[in-house]
């Protein structure tokens, strides 16, 4: 789960990470009030789960309260990568002497959280990493001991030569590492970590991603979820217990298992089609889930054909077939559907589906080819 | 022969009385796996299905039954705890089926296992099966057949799809291992490839990977030194690229997690790269 910048800032601030005062605003007037309180130049930033906010016009400098109000009214309601901006963060425009990067991500290779720091912080950090990887310093944190003081200080000296600044940065790194475990984050980063002309070390922007599997044990974090900031169909899918990612093609896919779902999408592409989505229906044959899946898929006007691909392992094929029949009785379809169903009780399954008037197959390639042809409008293919 | 499990497997089931645990324990017993003990705290002293003794703790179960493999079906919130308990109980091979374990829990589990020399398969995996001999986990026995092909996969139902292709076209399997789809897993491709290379009954290996991480690339490097032919599949060629986690995810993995990068690495290592699941049998037959 992505947190908004203002939520990530709150969490880090509570952990003792120093950062400039700022506040979130949902209306231009709120932004004006905050800017007046902060005084001087402010920056108004769209709170939206998308990278490249600045380049999309979602971050504006404003000199004074009225300018902040104008900036907020320009940003609020704008759309960035398909997501509407509902709130902005109003923060003082800090005077920056230097920008660094500090981030922690759970790393598959070392099987530990890895702390990464770079003196070349700012919006181009990914380019820095790609072109000059030697400018990124890394350390795998031993979960038994956490980030040790000398380890943090060692990395902090890669950022600052001044001892007081290095100590301040090391302290921030340790607090960031503690926060990762405290909130169940899979990623926590401060970019940029700045020094002011007066020499203070401050976190200017924060990003935290929470591991969805941690949400049950952190209800206070789960409560931070902002469904208005997510794609509506994906919210609907999550509430129905499905994993769904919308894509741009026209073959709607409904598959059991993530690996098979990806392989099915790949096969759609292989036969010249484009998948409309990723949808993992899980191990269940529950008609309720099948119905939710069909509702979500057919709500996309681009979908011209629906492809089911079910491998009945533990799940029985005839149960799934009955689920599909029941679901389509309640949610009548306006586009053709191809069902591929194999494994346990596949014969019974195909019989049930054929009787209900559906094209049911046991071969995956054949089913995908049919679905691709139908999506192109070749009804005769089935 | 087979890898990791076989005739001498004495299986302990953690979460044996739960909904999933009881269903799959019955399936494993029916398949011929020697299930010697179950563990469910508070249910010690009971008999599961009238034959398998249930214990309160892994330590009690091991002392009484000399179990040497554990399989875990407990809920995600307590699954890491179950792995710790199995390792502390001296079980050398732990198979964790549970899906949804917080990844930070796994960062603590891994060093604990290393200190005790225990191997973990999974989590979030379908387990493993040596067709006709033994099954630990949830891979449906009816789609498998005994034979000479080793299968190792990060996926669940996609693995079944490939096994199904093999079985229906006359290629049986020595062992099929699902290593799990989570970011942090106990056993990687390389461990399984090495075991298949050493297994006298395995003549060729199918590896099924996915986007994310670099395990497949490292496995491809390892394959260069193997004597047995390997064919591979990578799922996720059409997966959306924009789904990534902040800058740190991109910094740490760069472009190496993409399907294309992995397929290229496999091809460079001489692995037969499947473009679709149906390619598995033709590619294997070219190499056997």
């Amino acid at each position: 789960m992505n947190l908004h910048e203002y939520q990530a800032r709150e969490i880090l601030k509570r952990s003792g990470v120093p950062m400039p005062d700022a506040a979130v605003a949902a209306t231009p007037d709120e932004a004006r009030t905050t800017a007046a309180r902060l005084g001087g130049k402010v920056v108004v930033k769209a709170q939206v789960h998308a990278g490249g906010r600045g380049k999309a016009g979602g971050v504006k400098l404003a000199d004074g309260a009225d300018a902040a109000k104008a900036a907020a009214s320009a940003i609020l309601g704008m759309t960035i990568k398909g997501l509407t901006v509902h709130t902005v963060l109003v923060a003082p425009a800090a005077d920056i002497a230097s920008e660094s990067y500090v981030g922690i991500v759970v790393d598959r290779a070392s099987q530990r959280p890895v702390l990464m720091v770079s003196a070349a912080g700012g919006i181009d950090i990914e380019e820095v990493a790609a072109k000059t990887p030697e400018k990124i310093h890394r350390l795998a944190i031993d979960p038994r001991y956490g980030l040790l003081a000398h380890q943090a200080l060692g990395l902090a000296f890669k950022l600052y030569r001044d001892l007081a600044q290095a100590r301040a940065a090391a302290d921030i790194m340790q607090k960031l590492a503690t926060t990762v475990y405290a909130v169940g984050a899979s990623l926590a980063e401060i970019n940029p970590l700045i020094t002011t002309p007066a020499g203070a070390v401050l976190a200017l922007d924060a990003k935290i991603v929470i591991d969805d599997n941690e949400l049950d044990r952190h209800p206070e974090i789960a409560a931070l979820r902002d469904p208005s900031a997510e794609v509506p169909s994906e919210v609907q899918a999550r509430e129905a217990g499905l994993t769904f990612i919308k894509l741009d093609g026209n073959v709607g896919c409904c598959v059991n298992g993530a690996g098979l779902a990806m392989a099915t999408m790949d096969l759609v592409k292989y036969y010249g089609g484009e998948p409309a989505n990723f949808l993992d229906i899980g191990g269940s044959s529950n008609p309720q889930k099948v119905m939710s899946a069909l509702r979500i898929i057919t709500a996309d006007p681009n979908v011209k054909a629906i492809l089911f691909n079910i491998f009945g392992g533990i799940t029985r094929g005839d149960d799934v077939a009955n689920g599909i029949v029941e679901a389509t009785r309640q949610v009548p379809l306006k586009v053709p559907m191809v069902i591929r169903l194999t494994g346990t009780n596949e014969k019974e399954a195909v019989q049930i589906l054929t009787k209900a008037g559906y094209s049911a197959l046991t071969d995956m390639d054949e089913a995908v080819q049919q679905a691709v042809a139908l999506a192109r409008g070749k009804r005769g293919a089935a | 022969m087979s890898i990791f499990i076989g005739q001498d497997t004495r299986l302990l089931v953690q979460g044996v009385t739960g909904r999933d645990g009881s269903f799959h324990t019955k399936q494993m017993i029916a398949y011929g796996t020697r299930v010697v003990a179950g563990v469910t705290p508070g249910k010690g002293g009971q008999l599961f299905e009238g034959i398998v003794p249930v214990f309160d703790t892994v330590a009690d179960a091991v002392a009484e039954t000399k179990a040497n493999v554990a399989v875990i079906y407990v809920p995600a919130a307590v699954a890491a705890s179950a792995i710790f308990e199995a390792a502390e109980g001296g079980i050398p091979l732990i198979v964790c089926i549970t899906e949804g374990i917080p990844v930070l829990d796994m960062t603590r589990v891994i060093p604990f296992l290393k200190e005790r020399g225990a191997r973990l398969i999974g989590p979030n995996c379908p387990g493993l099966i040596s067709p006709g001999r033994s099954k630990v986990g949830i891979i449906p026995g009816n789609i498998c057949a005994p034979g000479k092909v080793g299968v190792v996969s990060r996926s669940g139902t996609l693995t079944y799809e490939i096994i199904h292709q093999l079985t229906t076209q006359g290629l049986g399997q020595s062992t099929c291992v699902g290593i799990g789809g989570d970011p942090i897993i106990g056993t990687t491709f390389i461990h399984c490839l090495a075991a298949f290379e050493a297994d006298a009954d395995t003549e060729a290996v199918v590896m099924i990977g996915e986007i994310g991480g670099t395990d497949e690339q490292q496995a491809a490097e390892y394959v260069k030194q193997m004597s047995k032919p390997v064919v591979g599949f990578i799922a996720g060629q059409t997966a959306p690229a924009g789904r990534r986690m902040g800058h740190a995810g991109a910094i740490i993995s760069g472009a190496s997690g993409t399907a294309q990068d992995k397929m290229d690495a496999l091809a460079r290592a001489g692995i037969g790269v499947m473009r679709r699941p149906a390619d598995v049998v033709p590619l294997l037959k070219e190499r056997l």
Side-chain angles (χ1 to χ4, degrees), chain A residues 241-267:
Chain A
L242 308 165
T243 314
F244 174 85
I245 297 173
K246 193 194 168 320
L247 301 170
D248 296 329
N250 58 12
V251 180
C253 301
C254 181
V255 187
N256 66 329
L260 189 59
M262 285 194 286
T264 305
M265 290 156 57
D266 294 348
L267 203 58

Side-chain angles (χ1 to χ4, degrees), chain A residues 72-136:
Chain A
S73 59
I75 295 170
L76 287 165
M78 78 186 293
T79 304
I80 299 175
K81 294 185 182 165
L83 298 166
T84 307
V85 181
H86 298 292
T87 50
V88 291
L89 183 76
V90 182
D95 282 329
I96 296 172
S98 75
E99 288 189 307
S100 300
Y101 171 88
V102 175
I104 295 176
V105 64
V106 179
D107 173 40
R108 316 171 77 110
S110 62
Q111 305 192 312
R112 293 176 176 192
V114 168
L115 171 64
M116 294 182 288
V117 307
S118 176
I123 55 169
D124 296 324
I125 185 66
E126 285 179 38
E127 206 181 317
V128 170
K131 288 188 179 153
T132 49
E134 70 280 2
K135 288 190 180 166
I136 310 275

